[in-house]
Amino acid sequence: MFGAGLRVGNAKMASLDKLDLVLGEDQFAIRTLSDKLRVRHRDRALNEPDHECLGHLFKTLDGHLIRGQKVFANTDRVNLDIKRIADGSLSLRISTNPNKWHHPWATSTDPGEYREFRSGLETEIDDLGISCDLSSARLARLDLARQKQLSHPLHSYHAVLHSLKARRQHKTAHQDSYRVGNRQRQISIYDKHTEANLDDSLRHLTRVEIRFLKSETTSKFTGLRLLSDLDHDITGAGFEHLQSVYSGYLESEVFSSPTGEEKAATILGYRHIASQIAQESPNGILGRFLGEIGIFEATRKAGGSDELADIITSTRDFKSDESRRRYHRRMRAQIESLFAGAISRQTIENQSFVSLYHELASFAQDEPTPISKTA
């Protein structure tokens, strides 16, 4: 049961959604095997003696020798693994979601609740029979999140999402989710109402998460390396810094326009592609070009329909300036018609592409629309 007036939306700032912490062999000790810790043994071949599959892991402070692949624990609030890593040393990895210490699915940017989470995490690890200084743990993964109710189902925004840039990252779309990313970092957009099976009053509640999946990526984008850095950051400035990281990442990686250099390089590349197509099919340049690039991507990266028409026009020779202008106007009209047609097929009726874009882009703004609910 949650308190009256609990804010279940994210009113102003990005929330700390998931946290993975890593401690090295000399940073923790297992006092005893509590009843919540489990040992996992690796599978062995039939001709392999039993003793060879039971590699030595560690010895508890109370004298128990532990063999196996790893020791793990899964509680309501923490997932924990103790195992040997590539260099042969022992490693402790702790995964948790600070938000879920206070609510099943709502986000929190309350420094007081963060302090409660930190105190609770210390107690949880101690109760598992492990002694360590958590503040010295390395930030191995850090997720930031906001959520708000959109006007329409998430799939209505897919045309907008497909048109946005995501350098060196892959896009994966499903009915209720959309992900852009690689092995280092991701942006995950999904329907929280469906995922958490929430009340219909929260229909179209959508969450946008930024996931920094490696220590190096977390440090690069947040400037934070250890849990103590995160503690000091939130103690000193609340969630202001994390909000800045979140907004800055979305703006630079997704919602920004191409820079001058990017645009120039794109236009040069597009001219090369269009010229090759013109040699093979001089009367079908636009159709084949857009078939290879895509109407949304080509128009956005070129800088607009006029600029894209310039690229197509540059591939042909004309007898006069007037015939060049007529051809350019015809190409621009076709591009705008194709763009409008693609939008009308991929977005909901009577809803403009621009308005859908701005609704998504509001996640990167300082104060998205809050959602309040009395639980």
Side-chain angles (χ1 to χ4, degrees):
M1 188 71 180
F2 304 102
L6 176 68
R7 186 178 297 277
V8 299
N10 197 358
K12 293 183 179 181
M13 290 177 286
S15 168
L16 185 62
D17 193 59
K18 185 173 181 179
L19 204 55
D20 280 11
L21 308 171
V22 171
L23 288 160
E25 188 166 27
D26 59 349
Q27 295 179 293
F28 69 96
I30 295 87
R31 299 190 305 274
T32 185
L33 277 184
S34 75
D35 57 1
K36 293 180 181 179
L37 291 176
R38 298 286 185 269
V39 179
R40 176 171 295 167
H41 302 294
R42 69 176 176 86
D43 295 334
R44 65 183 179 87
L46 292 176
N47 63 352
E48 184 179 17
D50 286 350
H51 69 275
E52 292 187 12
C53 76
L54 299 175
H56 171 251
L57 269 180
F58 56 81
K59 189 174 184 179
T60 63
L61 295 183
D62 62 0
H64 290 88
L65 184 64
I66 307 301
R67 296 181 180 273
Q69 184 181 27
K70 71 175 182 177
V71 169
F72 67 97
N74 296 317
T75 73
D76 291 339
R77 293 175 168 178
V78 167
N79 295 324
L80 178 147
D81 280 340
I82 303 172
K83 63 182 180 181
R84 297 204 174 273
I85 55 177
D87 65 4
S89 66
L90 205 61
S91 174
L92 165 63
R93 188 181 187 102
I94 301 166
S95 297
T96 188
N97 185 333
N99 283 322
K100 290 189 175 180
W101 290 64
H102 306 290
H103 194 279
W105 54 267
T107 59
S108 171
T109 55
D110 181 349
E113 289 189 346
Y114 177 80
R115 288 192 295 271
E116 291 176 13
F117 150 71
R118 280 290 284 112
S119 175
L121 183 62
E122 297 278 357
T123 300
E124 188 95 358
I125 299 303
D126 186 68
D127 288 346
L128 289 171
I130 298 172
S131 296
C132 65
D133 176 12
L134 275 180
S135 65
S136 66
R138 176 166 44 90
L139 301 176
R141 172 176 174 170
L142 188 149
D143 293 5
L144 300 173
R146 273 180 164 175
Q147 59 190 28
K148 63 180 290 187
Q149 277 178 291
L150 297 180
S151 302
H152 310 284
L154 184 59
H155 63 79
S156 302
Y157 301 80
H158 278 190
V160 177
L161 293 167
H162 280 305
S163 75
L164 300 175
K165 75 169 184 176
R167 293 172 294 181
R168 300 179 299 280
Q169 299 186 64
H170 302 290
K171 297 180 181 180
T172 305
H174 300 286
Q175 182 80 357
D176 296 319
S177 66
Y178 194 96
R179 188 174 68 186
V180 178
N182 52 38
R183 294 181 179 179
Q184 303 291 325
R185 49 197 169 99
Q186 296 176 355
I187 296 173
S188 180
I189 305 171
Y190 61 95
D191 185 329
K192 191 65 180 178
H193 168 263
T194 300
E195 188 259 356
N197 193 27
L198 304 180
D199 184 88
D200 280 351
S201 65
L202 292 168
R203 188 175 296 277
H204 309 326
L205 179 62
T206 300
R207 179 173 288 193
V208 176
E209 295 179 359
I210 295 175
R211 300 169 178 173
F212 300 126
L213 303 174
K214 304 288 185 180
S215 297
E216 298 78 7
T217 315
T218 298
S219 178
K220 174 183 176 181
F221 285 96
T222 69
L224 308 173
R225 192 175 68 87
L226 304 177
L227 183 57
S228 59
D229 298 332
L230 181 62
D231 292 342
H232 294 153
D233 190 58
I234 294 177
T235 299
F239 283 76
E240 293 287 350
H241 173 66
L242 296 179
Q243 161 59 28
S244 177
V245 171
Y246 181 92
S247 293
Y249 187 85
L250 284 182
E251 288 172 353
S252 65
E253 296 294 319
V254 178
F255 294 111
S256 66
S257 299
T259 65
E261 290 184 0
E262 289 174 326
K263 184 175 177 180
T266 295
I267 289 176
L268 185 64
Y270 281 1
R271 287 188 189 279
H272 178 68
I273 294 170
S275 295
Q276 288 184 319
I277 293 172
Q279 293 175 14
E280 301 170 6
S281 178
N283 295 321
I285 304 172
L286 181 61
R288 283 193 55 188
F289 181 84
L290 293 180
E292 291 190 21
I293 306 299
I295 183 64
F296 294 125
E297 185 78 354
T299 305
R300 186 188 66 78
K301 283 194 172 182
S305 59
D306 197 58
E307 289 83 353
L308 186 54
D310 283 341
I311 293 172
I312 302 300
T313 303
S314 70
T315 64
R316 302 195 60 167
D317 294 324
F318 300 91
K319 294 181 179 179
S320 67
D321 289 343
E322 180 57 31
S323 61
R324 175 184 290 274
R325 286 193 291 269
R326 283 199 303 268
Y327 184 83
H328 180 275
R329 287 195 297 269
R330 182 157 60 87
M331 288 299 100
R332 184 177 60 190
Q334 287 186 29
I335 291 167
E336 291 173 350
S337 176
L338 288 167
F339 195 96
I343 290 172
S344 66
R345 286 192 302 274
Q346 297 188 59
T347 62
I348 57 178
E349 187 177 1
N350 298 324
Q351 186 71 24
S352 76
F353 186 89
V354 172
S355 65
L356 292 174
Y357 170 88
H358 283 300
E359 195 171 4
L360 283 178
S362 70
F363 278 95
Q365 297 168 1
D366 285 343
E367 295 191 10
T369 304
I371 308 162
S372 296
K373 180 180 176 65
T374 300

